[in-house]
């Protein structure tokens, strides 16, 4: 027992981290420790980007569909939602917006806004006669003071009317009219209007995804805003028809569910990356 030790004292525990810090201080000096760790962080970030980039390249070579988030559309937005976040906001006119995860909007006066990316349910104020104007990258929308759901992304525009009349003016000047219980799907020059079920399409507000005769690629696309990492899907798996009810609050559980119920495998990779491939 040394002179400064007291009865009952425990021997010092070897801490590998402290030993590493001691060696670094001895090598680069006390003031260089911060810069050393910055270099370590940069190296780890470079390796992480390289691994994800390699995974994406491998997925592309294997015929996998890559997620294409519209991050640039969200950077300068007045309001944007995070992964798994649903947010409500009320415009000065009383119109209420319910934003799904990974959605971004800019506000344009009391009766309008710009949907930069994502999905929103628009509920017009019942005591106002003024229409609501919504700008998207695919065209301009004007709707009566009722309720509709709008989705806009790099692929196209979806407009589902609950009980509103929505007028859509595409970028090429073509005009469309979406009536109550109808959905407009615009993909480039291709536009299709058909009946749609409001309760199924808006089940995400209750944390569920309800699909019927839907492709696996659309199910995976619906999971992405609720999952913190990238999800890739092979071309073969993307074409598998799916029907069912899935949890959006637990995407990991839902991925296990589709692996059990459908001919696919879900492969886990680092950094929360998931690969969905056909098992047949």
């Amino acid at each position: 027992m040394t002179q400064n030790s007291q009865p009952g004292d425990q021997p010092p525990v070897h801490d590998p981290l402290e030993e590493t810090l001691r060696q670094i201080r001895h090598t680069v000096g006390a003031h260089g420790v911060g810069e050393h760790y910055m270099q370590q962080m940069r190296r780890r970030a470079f390796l992480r980007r390289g691994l994800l980039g390699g995974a994406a390249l491998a997925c592309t070579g294997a015929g996998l569909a890559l997620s294409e988030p519209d991050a640039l559309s969200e950077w300068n937005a007045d309001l944007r939602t995070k992964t798994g976040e649903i947010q409500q906001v009320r415009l000065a006119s009383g119109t209420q917006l319910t934003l799904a995860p990974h959605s971004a909007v800019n506000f344009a006066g009391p009766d309008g806004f710009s949907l930069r990316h994502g999905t929103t349910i628009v509920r017009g104020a019942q005591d106002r006669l003024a229409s609501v104007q919504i700008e998207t990258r695919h065209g301009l929308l004007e709707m009566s003071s009722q309720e509709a759901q709008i989705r806009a992304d790099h692929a196209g525009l979806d407009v589902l009317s609950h009980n509103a009349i929505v007028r859509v003016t595409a970028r090429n000047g073509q005009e469309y009219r979406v009536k109550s219980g109808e959905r407009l799907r615009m993909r480039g020059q291709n536009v299709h209007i058909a009946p749609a079920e409001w309760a199924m399409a808006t089940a995400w507000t209750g944390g569920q995804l309800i699909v019927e005769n839907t492709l696996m690629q659309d199910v995976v696309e619906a999971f992405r805003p609720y999952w913190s990492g990238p999800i890739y899907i092979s071309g073969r798996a993307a074409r598998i028809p799916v029907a069912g009810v899935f949890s959006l609050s637990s995407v990991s559980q839902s991925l296990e569910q589709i692996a059990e119920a459908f001919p696919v495998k879900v492969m886990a990779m680092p950094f929360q990356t998931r690969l969905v491939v056909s098992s047949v």
Side-chain angles (χ1 to χ4, degrees), residues 104-148:
V105 297
N106 279 357
F107 302 118
D111 296 311
F113 65 95
S114 172
L115 179 60
R116 305 286 296 274
H117 172 76
T119 301
T120 183
I121 294 175
V122 184
R123 295 184 179 91
Q126 299 298 316
D127 57 347
R128 289 180 59 90
L129 297 177
S131 60
V132 181
Q133 293 187 341
I134 305 106
E135 182 183 0
T136 75
R137 68 179 74 184
H138 304 287
L140 183 65
L141 286 66
E142 186 174 358
M143 60 174 282
S144 58
S145 298
Q146 298 294 328
E147 190 172 39

Side-chain angles (χ1 to χ4, degrees), residues 1-275:
M1 184 178 297
T2 61
Q3 182 177 0
N4 295 328
S5 298
Q6 299 296 326
D9 281 353
Q10 297 295 322
V13 178
H14 176 70
D15 188 339
L17 178 59
E18 288 299 322
E19 178 63 19
T20 301
L21 286 172
R22 188 191 65 77
Q23 293 177 359
I24 292 172
R25 290 190 184 97
H26 178 75
T27 303
V28 302
H31 297 290
V33 174
E35 179 60 24
H36 171 84
Y37 270 94
M38 286 297 295
Q39 293 174 1
Q40 290 287 84
M41 290 171 64
R42 293 189 190 102
R43 185 176 297 114
R44 291 186 186 120
F46 175 79
L47 290 174
R48 183 179 187 274
R49 288 194 299 269
L51 178 57
L52 286 178
L57 185 61
C59 292
T60 305
L64 300 188
L66 307 184
S67 172
E68 189 176 341
D70 289 53
L72 290 174
S73 299
E74 300 180 11
W75 284 355
N76 296 324
D78 293 330
L79 177 65
R80 58 182 181 270
T81 52
K82 298 177 290 187
T83 299
E85 178 187 24
I86 296 176
Q87 191 169 153
Q88 289 188 340
V89 62
R90 192 177 298 274
L91 303 181
S93 63
T95 297
Q96 179 177 288
L97 310 182
T98 302
L99 297 173
H102 287 190
S103 298
V105 297
N106 279 357
F107 302 118
D111 296 311
F113 65 95
S114 172
L115 179 60
R116 305 286 296 274
H117 172 76
T119 301
T120 183
I121 294 175
V122 184
R123 295 184 179 91
Q126 299 298 316
D127 57 347
R128 289 180 59 90
L129 297 177
S131 60
V132 181
Q133 293 187 341
I134 305 106
E135 182 183 0
T136 75
R137 68 179 74 184
H138 304 287
L140 183 65
L141 286 66
E142 186 174 358
M143 60 174 282
S144 58
S145 298
Q146 298 294 328
E147 190 172 39
Q149 175 173 281
I150 303 163
R151 174 173 176 77
D153 58 20
H154 66 277
L157 174 70
D158 282 29
V159 179
L160 173 61
S161 172
H162 185 201
N163 49 16
I165 300 296
V166 185
R167 288 176 290 275
V168 180
T169 305
R171 292 297 184 188
N172 61 8
Q174 189 69 39
E175 295 186 356
Y176 306 92
R177 183 183 176 94
V178 187
K179 296 179 293 184
S180 176
E182 291 184 337
R183 181 203 298 268
L184 174 145
R185 299 195 69 180
M186 180 184 297
R187 299 295 182 269
Q189 300 298 320
N190 297 320
V191 179
H192 181 65
I193 299 178
E197 176 59 45
W198 176 263
M200 289 178 60
T202 58
W204 58 268
T205 59
Q208 289 186 322
L209 173 67
I210 304 176
V211 294
E212 187 178 70
N213 194 25
T214 301
L215 296 179
M216 184 70 74
Q217 65 183 6
D218 295 325
V219 173
V220 169
E221 182 66 28
F223 286 163
R224 283 173 176 146
Y226 298 84
W227 184 253
S228 58
I231 306 177
Y232 305 117
I233 182 169
S234 71
R236 192 169 180 178
R239 296 188 294 271
I240 295 174
V242 179
V245 179
F246 306 94
S247 170
L248 294 174
S249 59
S250 179
V251 173
S252 59
Q253 178 182 327
S254 295
L255 288 171
E256 293 176 3
Q257 182 181 346
I258 64 172
E260 293 174 357
F262 302 96
V264 297
K265 294 179 181 178
V266 179
M267 304 167 61
M269 296 183 66
F271 309 114
Q272 293 288 87
T273 302
R274 296 295 183 267
L275 310 181

